[in-house]
Structures are given as C-alpha cells and as structure tokens.
C-alpha cells in the first residue's frame, strides 16, 4: 500500500480533497463481496466464553478461544475491533502498542489496507484498567449541569483518542420508565428534556474530541415489562414519540452523534433490530441521520435465538440489514458466512450490503482511516495516562454537584465539630459502592491480582480524614440474610451523638450485583437485610443521617421518616467518597437534584412524575403513587427566596413564536449556595392527555449570601408540542402555564399564558430548547 500523502495519482478513496462520502463511493465498487462484508463486522479478541460475561448470552454466542483464527478473520479486512482495552486488565501503554500492532496486521493482510475502527465502552469514563472512573449517568442528571457533563465527556474522548480508540459506546439516552430495571443506573433520569439536554452535552464532549459517540439504545429499551431486561415493551405511539424519542433527537441535532445502537427490545411484537420503519423510515428518512447504526452485542443473532422472527443466521442478517443496521457487534457471526451464503443464493440483495458499507467507509474516511498517511501508533504513546489530575478533578466536581440532600431536620447537617459519629452500613467501607456496572472494575472484574487500577477511597476512608471521632461497624452485607451484625451496629449507633448509616447497591451484571445490566429487582426495597439494619439503627433514638449509594431510587417509607437527614448518591465514581464526606461535613454545599423520583412504596409500579391526572393519587384507586421525594427535589445548607415572577411582554404566546418568563432569586442564608431553578409546563386542556407538569427548562444559579439574580427562560412554542389526536406532533392553541419550580411537585410561582393562532404541525426541525439566562443584580 502506498503510504504517501494523497496526490493526483492517488486512489480516489484516499484523496482527502474529496468528501468522505465521495471517497467511500469510489471504494465500494472495487471490493469483492467478502471484502465488503468484512467491513460490516467486529471481532472481539479475548472475550470470555466461560459464562461470566459482560453481554447477554455471551457464553452461548462466543466460541472457544482460537475458533476464529485471527489471520483468517482479517484476510479480507476488518470493520471493527471490539474493546481491546475493556476485556481484561492491560497496562495502557502496552495496550496501545498491542492495538497498533494489531492494526498493522489488519492493514497488511487485506488488499486495501483499511484499519479497523476501534470501539470501547465509555459510560462512566473509558472502561479500561487504570482509567478515571466518573460518576454514573444518574449522577449526570442529578447535577443538572450540562456544561460540566460536556467537560467530563471531552476529557473522556481525549483519553480514548490518545489510546487509539475511535468510537465510544455512550451515552445512554433511554428515559427511565421503571426503576426496577437494573440498567436504571445507566440512564440520566426519568424526564426526556433532562435526558436530552444532558445526553447532548455528553455527545458534544465526545465528538468534540474526535471520537464517534454512540446513542443507546434506540429505542424503548427502558420501558420493558416489569422492569425486566430484554422483556417485551408494550408502548403506544404517543409514549414513544413524546417521551422516548425526544432525547435521541436532541442528542443527534444538538450533540452531533455519528452512531446509534439499536435496542434489544421488541415494541408491540416487533424487535427493533428488524424494525425498518423505526431504523430507516424514522431515523434516516424523517430525521436525516447519515451516520452508522451498530447492533447491540449479539442483537442480530437474537432475532433467531430469542425473538423467533428469523429462521437462521442468514435470515437474521437479512432482517437486520433491511431494517438499517450497518455493523454487527461485538464479533463476526450472522454478517459473516451466513450473510455471504445468503447473498450468493440470491436471498439477500447485495445492494443492502453496499448501502451499509458506504456508511461505514464514509465514517472511516471522516476518522482519517482511509488516509494514505494514517499511522497505527498514537503520538506520545509512551506518556499515555488514562487517570490524570484533570480527570480526577472533573470526577470530583461532578460527584460534588450530583450529591442530593433530600432531608435535613434540625440542622443535623453539616456534622458539627466535636461530635461522636458512628459510621454504619455495608457500603460505608466498600470502594465498589462508588462504581456503576459499566466501570471497568465492576464490568470486567474481579481481577484480584491486578487490583482496581485506580485509587477509590471509600466513604469511611474519606470521612475518617474529616471527622476525628469516627467509629465504624458494618452491620450486614449488601445481600444475603445474615442479621448477626445488626445488633452491634445498633449498639454503636446508640453510643454516638450522630450515626451516618450508609446503605445501597453493589453494581454487577446478570445477577452478579443488585444493580446493573441483568440485575433487575422485583420491588424497590433495599437489597438483603438492609431494611432491618435501617429499622434497628433508627430505633436507637440517635439522630441518623441516612446515606444511600445506589443505582436506582429505593423506596423510603414511613420508617425512613425517622431519619434526621437523607443524602443520595448515584454511584458517584472514584472520588465519590470524598464528595459525599464533604457534603456531610459542610465543606461542600449540596446542590444536586433528583433525576428520578424516590418512591414511598416499594410496590405500585411503574410510576414516574410524567403522569396525567389519573396517573397520580385519585379517589378511584386505593394505591397512592405520590413519591417520598419528587423529581427535581434537593436541598442545600442555605436558603433562597424566589419573587417577582412574570412574563416579559404580553401574555399571548404565538404558536409559532416564543415567550420569555423571569423570576428573581436571592440567597437569604449565611452561606454560598447554588439554587437550581426549574421551569415546568402545565397544559390543563389538550386533545390528548398530558402530564400534569413536564420539565421545559432549568439552570443552576450560584449565589453568595445576600446576592440576587434575575433568571429568565425564553421558551419556543415548539417546546409545548405533543402528539395530537390524529397522530401528528402539534402545537395546540389554548391556555397553558409556565411554572417556576423547586421541584416537579413544589411550585414557587406560576405564569399563566395563552398560546394563540391556529393549530400548527411541527416536525423534526422544530425548536427543542428553552434558553436560560442569569443576570446578577447584586445584594437584595
């Protein structure tokens, strides 16, 4: 292969003066069927076939070591390399050199010398040994801070790029619909506006670093029946259009994601991996998406094995290609020999392969992988560090902003100096309690001989450095039925001035944890005998600060009302212990807000705040779904006064225009603090039932004591749109309210408005965002 820069004599597909699409179009007709198909598959080297895998049915889908001979696999080229850093512990520098060597073999083995596109998981940072572990996505949502999330993602993207990785399998922009689902921890929250704005910010960070962001899981995955992983989804078109799809639209239009991964789920009997109307008609036709659509791991074979809609591998490949999937991950299977045989037998049109191939090669051209001067080894590989001071600082900042103070009676927090503090609970001295299931230690581990790879202080370690008179008693395990340690824990609490009781989850996969992929729950009680521990400690009469470190919201019933304070952390990452300790001691003022409601009852599910009137407490049902703490709730250590709410200009709001509403916020306390001003839409009369309120804007407002700010939101009428009675998205004229809220359930001020004009149909090009502004006004 000629490795000189592109010239007039260079092959057109190597000519950087042409557009990526033109270069791809020049290469497609030169390739044999086998060379084409090779670009549509990944290879997962080193995948575990023992049954302790990291993907559904991995032990069934991954053959024994050596079954796929490397030289045979790459002789026609290779589309993707699957997780060379994320499959087993590997030193970063050695891993980058090994990856470069593999790429050199791939380019040397095939006729066109095209490198593989390398992908890795990056939901909580680069999922590799010795890489910074950031807070889980529910923490992103709890921060209500897209700017910080974008900064975090930018650092993650630069780290991936420095190691030779081209594509990250994140973010998850599924909207949580049932908290029992084990993958709730991977979602950003239960509101599509929050998920979409935060998800788009993560995409901008990843893409801004030159790495392809992959939106997961298109679409409906989080709405599975009973919160069970891969279970069928029973969903109407309005729920799909108005709740599930908008975050994907936002992440594509506002973030610029270049890849999408299909959902494993079926919607109304049709598996998404075979849904041509959704993957091609909507995603590419209506929305204009031109990037790559990659399969979730083994999802194409699942059309045969799990869904029963394909007769064999070739039939599954036909359905997936026709639907619009371009690349089979994680490793070559149905898009290998079964696809080639089906094409040669006339069962699959080769034009479908060419369509997918053009998209794949276009993206490779965008990434520089078709350039004649491409180099396998990244620059400065010898100095490669995946966990540096910049990453650690960002992880700490996000963990601090995402800690949510739910309750604080009697000013028990911050912990006063000189008090005897008993630290109790199974997650109090467990570094793994800080980590979600897509962190390397939880996802791939355990590898005791290698350790965690990064320093992860537990809550005990962090709090012990701030509270001199601290005792610790475990009390019980996260799971199991052993209650023998509860009495000692209660005794320790009884002897203290304050007890910090830390309970929650341990992330894992497929039943190896209490939260995570395949770790679904039958109800929302704390796992194991932790409820008994909570009751025993509360019964001592010692003031209790209940700390939850978890991947889902657990029910806080009447027992928890006896807690003096409640703090929630959603798998806050490697610096989460420090962040929570700083919140408890007052070194940091808590400013997180709930991205999911915290239920009062462990049953009566599913229920989120996005409910029409009859989805809430009513006289026609004996079940009260009112949460213990609503979406958007969160306290701090100072107080804020909200006043002078109003509309800037007339209260008439054209259906094709925008309106600006504003409110004054003043810090009336003695400490600096951050208020999160939330804006909700209430549409009292509509042609289809609507949520009582839904989020349409938010902004963080940091204020020093006595200082005041004027907060404004300019809201396009398009943001009020919904799927009307005839199945089209409309802006409907009529009376509405914009409500300034401290949470979805606590309204500080209401601005009545009237949408004027004729009913207006809107599409994918509608305006998606309200614009927030904060103007400092000095002392109040």
């Amino acid at each position: 292969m000629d490795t000189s820069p592109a010239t007039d004599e260079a092959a057109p597909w190597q000519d950087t003066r042409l557009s990526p699409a033109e270069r791809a179009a020049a290469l497609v007709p030169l390739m044999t069927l086998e060379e084409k198909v090779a670009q549509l598959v990944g290879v997962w080297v080193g995948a575990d076939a023992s049954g302790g895998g990291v993907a559904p049915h991995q032990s069934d889908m991954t053959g024994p070591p050596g079954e796929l001979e490397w030289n045979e696999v790459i002789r026609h080229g290779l589309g993707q390399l699957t997780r060379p850093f994320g499959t087993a512990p590997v030193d970063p520098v050695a891993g980058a050199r090994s990856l470069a060597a593999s790429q050199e073999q791939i380019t040397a083995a095939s006729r066109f010398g095209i490198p593989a596109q390398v992908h890795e998981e990056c939901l909580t940072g680069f999922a590799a040994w010795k890489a910074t572990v950031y807070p889980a996505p529910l923490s992103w949502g709890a921060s209500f801070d897209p700017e910080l999330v974008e900064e975090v993602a930018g650092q993650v993207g630069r780290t991936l790029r420095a190691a030779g990785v081209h594509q990250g399998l994140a973010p998850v922009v599924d909207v949580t619909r049932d908290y029992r689902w084990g993958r709730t921890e991977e979602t950003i929250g239960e509101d599509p506006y929050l998920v979409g704005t935060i998800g788009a910010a993560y995409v901008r960070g990843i893409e801004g670093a030159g790495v392809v962001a992959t939106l997961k899981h298109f679409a409906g995955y989080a709405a599975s029946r009973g919160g069970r992983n891969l279970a069928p989804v029973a969903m109407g078109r309005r729920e799909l259009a108005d709740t599930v799809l908008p975050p994907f639209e936002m992440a594509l239009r506002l973030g610029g994601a270049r890849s999408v991964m299909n959902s494993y789920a079926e919607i109304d009997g049709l598996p998404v991996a075979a849904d041509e109307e959704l993957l091609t008609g909507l995603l590419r036709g209506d929305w204009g998406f031109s990037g790559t659509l990659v399969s979730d791991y083994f999802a194409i074979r699942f059309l045969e094995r799990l869904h029963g809609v394909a007769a064999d591998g070739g039939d599954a490949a036909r359905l997936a290609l026709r639907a619009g999937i371009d690349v089979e991950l994680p490793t070559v299977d149905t898009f290998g020999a079964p696809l080639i045989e089906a094409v040669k037998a006339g069962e699959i049109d080769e034009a479908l392969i060419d369509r997918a191939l053009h998209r794949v090669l276009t993206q490779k051209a965008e990434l520089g992988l078709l350039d004649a001067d491409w180099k396998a080894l990244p620059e400065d590989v010898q100095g490669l560090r995946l966990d540096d001071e910049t990453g650690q600082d960002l992880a700490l900042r996000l963990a601090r902003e995402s800690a949510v103070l739910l309750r604080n009676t009697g000013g028990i927090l911050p912990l006063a100096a000189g008090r005897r503090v008993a630290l109790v609970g199974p997650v109090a001295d467990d570094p793994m309690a800080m980590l979600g299931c897509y962190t390397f230690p939880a996802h791939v581990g355990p590898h005791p001989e290698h350790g965690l790879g990064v320093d992860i202080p537990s809550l005990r370690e962090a709090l012990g450095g701030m509270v001199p008179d601290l005792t610790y008693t475990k009390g019980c395990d996260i799971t199991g039925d052993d209650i023998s340690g509860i009495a000692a824990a209660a005794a320790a609490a009884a002897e203290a001035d304050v007890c910090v009781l830390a309970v929650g989850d341990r992330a894992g996969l497929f039943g190896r944890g209490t939260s995570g992929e395949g770790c679904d729950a039958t109800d929302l009680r704390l796992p194991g005998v932790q409820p008994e521990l909570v009751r025993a400690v509360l019964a001592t009469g010692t003031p209790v600060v209940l700390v939850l470190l978890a991947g889902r919201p657990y029910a806080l019933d009447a027992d928890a009302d006896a807690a003096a304070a409640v703090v929630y952390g959603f798998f806050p990452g490697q610096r989460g212990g420090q962040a929570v300790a700083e919140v408890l001691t007052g070194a940091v003022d808590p400013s997180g807000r709930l991205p999911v409601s915290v239920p009062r009852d462990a049953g009566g599910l599913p229920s989120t705040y996005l409910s029409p009137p009859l989805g809430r407490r009513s006289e026609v049902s004996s079940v009260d779904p009112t949460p213990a703490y609503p979406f958007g709730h969160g306290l701090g250590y100072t107080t804020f006064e909200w006043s002078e709410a109003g509309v800037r200009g007339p209260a008439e709001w054209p259906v094709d225009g925008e309106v600006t509403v504003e409110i004054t916020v003043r810090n009336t306390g003695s400490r600096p603090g951050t208020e999160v001003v939330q804006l909700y839409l209430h549409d009292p009369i509509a042609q289809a039932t609507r949520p009582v309120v839904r989020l349409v804007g938010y902004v963080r407002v940091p204020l020093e004591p006595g200082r005041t700010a004027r907060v404004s939101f300019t809201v396009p009428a398009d943001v009020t749109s919904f799927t009307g009675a005839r199945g089209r998205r409309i802006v409907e004229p009529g009376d509405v309210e914009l409500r300034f809220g401290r949470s979805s359930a606590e309204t500080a001020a209401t601005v009545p408005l009237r949408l004027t004009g004729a009913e207006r149909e809107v599409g994918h090009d509608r305006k998606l965002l309200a614009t927030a502004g904060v103007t400092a006004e000095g002392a109040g």
Side-chain angles (χ1 to χ4, degrees), residues 7-75:
T7 65
D8 291 340
E9 292 75 31
W13 55 274
Q14 289 181 313
D15 189 345
T16 57
R17 295 169 300 183
L18 300 178
S19 72
E22 290 171 328
R23 295 169 67 185
L27 181 54
V28 170
L30 304 179
M31 304 177 80
T32 66
L33 175 61
E34 288 76 11
E35 289 169 335
K36 292 176 179 179
V37 168
Q39 290 297 318
L40 307 186
V41 298
V43 167
W44 197 356
V45 177
D48 178 18
S50 68
V54 300
H57 289 266
Q58 181 178 319
S59 58
D60 300 331
M61 301 295 172
T62 307
E67 182 177 301
L68 297 175
E69 292 293 339
W70 174 251
N71 290 335
E72 179 64 23
V73 168
I74 67 173
R75 72 187 183 97

Side-chain angles (χ1 to χ4, degrees), residues 350-705:
E350 191 170 345
L352 289 176
I353 293 175
D354 290 348
R355 181 179 72 172
L357 176 63
H358 184 266
R359 295 166 184 157
V360 167
L361 293 178
T362 297
Q363 191 161 97
K364 286 196 171 186
E366 291 172 351
L367 293 167
L369 297 178
L370 300 188
D371 294 356
D373 60 353
W374 175 84
K375 294 181 175 58
L377 193 66
E379 295 181 5
D380 193 27
V381 69
Q382 196 58 40
L384 179 64
R385 287 186 61 195
L386 307 184
D387 180 37
D388 60 16
E389 291 76 11
T390 300
Q392 292 168 20
D393 178 66
L394 285 167
L396 178 59
R397 287 169 56 197
L398 185 53
R400 286 169 171 164
E401 287 195 5
S402 62
V404 187
L405 176 62
L406 299 182
R407 177 184 178 91
N408 189 23
T409 58
I412 192 68
L413 292 179
L415 295 172
R419 306 196 79 180
R420 296 171 300 158
V421 178
L423 179 62
V424 169
V427 304
D429 196 29
D430 184 0
M432 295 297 293
M434 306 296 164
L435 309 183
C437 78
Y438 268 76
T439 60
F440 185 86
H443 201 72
V444 177
H447 289 274
E449 68 278 15
H450 290 90
L452 296 177
V454 292
D455 180 37
I456 308 174
S458 68
L459 178 58
R460 179 189 181 187
E461 184 179 348
L463 192 60
M466 303 176 193
V467 179
D469 196 357
L470 182 74
T471 64
Y472 164 70
T473 308
K474 184 177 181 180
C476 67
D477 292 326
I478 295 171
T479 57
D481 57 5
D482 183 2
I483 62 172
S484 61
I486 292 180
E495 294 174 0
D497 297 320
V498 180
C499 176
V500 175
L501 174 55
V503 295
D505 277 322
R506 186 182 184 94
L509 289 95
F510 307 110
R512 302 194 296 272
T514 59
S515 174
E517 186 173 357
C519 297
D520 309 316
T522 56
D523 59 37
L524 296 176
R525 295 181 181 88
L526 283 165
V529 296
Q530 291 182 89
E532 286 87 337
L533 175 65
V534 171
R535 284 192 290 271
V537 171
L538 289 172
T540 64
T542 297
V544 173
V545 178
L546 182 62
V547 175
L548 294 102
L549 300 174
R552 62 165 62 86
Y554 282 105
L556 295 179
D557 56 18
D559 289 335
D561 288 344
V566 180
V567 176
Y568 225 113
F570 296 101
F571 287 145
Q574 75 180 65
R575 286 291 173 262
Q578 178 182 343
V580 173
E582 289 174 336
V583 165
L584 295 176
T585 58
V588 167
D589 189 84
S591 61
R593 300 294 185 266
L594 283 176
V596 286
S597 304
V598 173
R600 179 167 292 279
D601 195 307
L605 300 167
S607 178
T608 74
Y609 96 98
L610 288 174
S611 296
L614 285 175
R616 297 192 169 200
R617 181 173 56 187
S618 72
E619 295 179 356
V620 298
S621 173
S622 59
V623 175
D624 181 1
T626 304
Y629 300 99
F631 171 87
H633 174 74
L635 306 173
Y637 295 145
T638 189
T639 55
F640 293 94
E641 176 185 82
W642 297 25
S643 63
E644 300 174 2
V647 59
R648 189 182 299 169
E652 291 193 347
W653 186 3
V655 294
D656 59 353
E658 60 186 26
V659 70
T660 298
V661 293
E662 50 193 3
I663 196 167
T664 296
V665 177
R666 178 172 176 258
N667 184 345
T668 55
S670 59
R671 296 175 53 117
T674 297
E675 182 69 297
V676 178
V677 178
Q678 301 159 47
L679 188 69
Y680 292 88
L681 173 70
H682 172 61
D683 189 350
I685 301 174
Q687 58 186 257
T689 61
R690 305 297 300 134
V692 175
V693 292
R694 65 179 177 91
L695 187 71
V696 294
Y698 62 88
V699 66
R700 291 173 61 91
V701 185
L703 287 171
E704 294 293 319

Side-chain angles (χ1 to χ4, degrees), residues 24 39-41 79-80 117-119 166-170 207 211-216 218 248 252 256-262 279-280 283-284 288-296 320 323-329 335 353-367 369:
Q39 290 297 318
L40 307 186
V41 298
Q80 295 231 1
Q117 188 164 324
V118 181
H119 76 260
H166 311 104
Q167 181 169 2
L169 302 188
E207 290 281 357
V211 173
V212 174
T214 309
L215 305 183
K216 305 194 301 189
F218 191 76
F248 288 93
L252 290 171
R258 287 182 285 171
S259 190
V260 172
M261 176 179 280
N262 74 279
L279 300 185
T280 295
L283 180 63
R284 296 195 184 277
F289 176 65
S290 60
T292 57
L293 209 164
V294 301
S295 79
D296 206 341
I325 291 178
D326 302 316
V327 179
E328 180 178 40
L329 298 180
F335 275 22
I353 293 175
D354 290 348
R355 181 179 72 172
L357 176 63
H358 184 266
R359 295 166 184 157
V360 167
L361 293 178
T362 297
Q363 191 161 97
K364 286 196 171 186
E366 291 172 351
L367 293 167
L369 297 178

Side-chain angles (χ1 to χ4, degrees), residues 118-155:
V118 181
H119 76 260
E120 292 282 357
E121 298 286 359
C122 62
L123 193 64
T124 54
F126 188 175
W129 192 54
K130 293 189 175 182
T132 305
V133 182
Y134 296 90
L138 273 181
S139 285
W140 311 352
S143 76
F144 278 70
D145 191 345
E147 289 79 15
L148 177 56
V149 170
E150 182 174 347
E151 196 174 348
V152 166
Q155 176 69 9

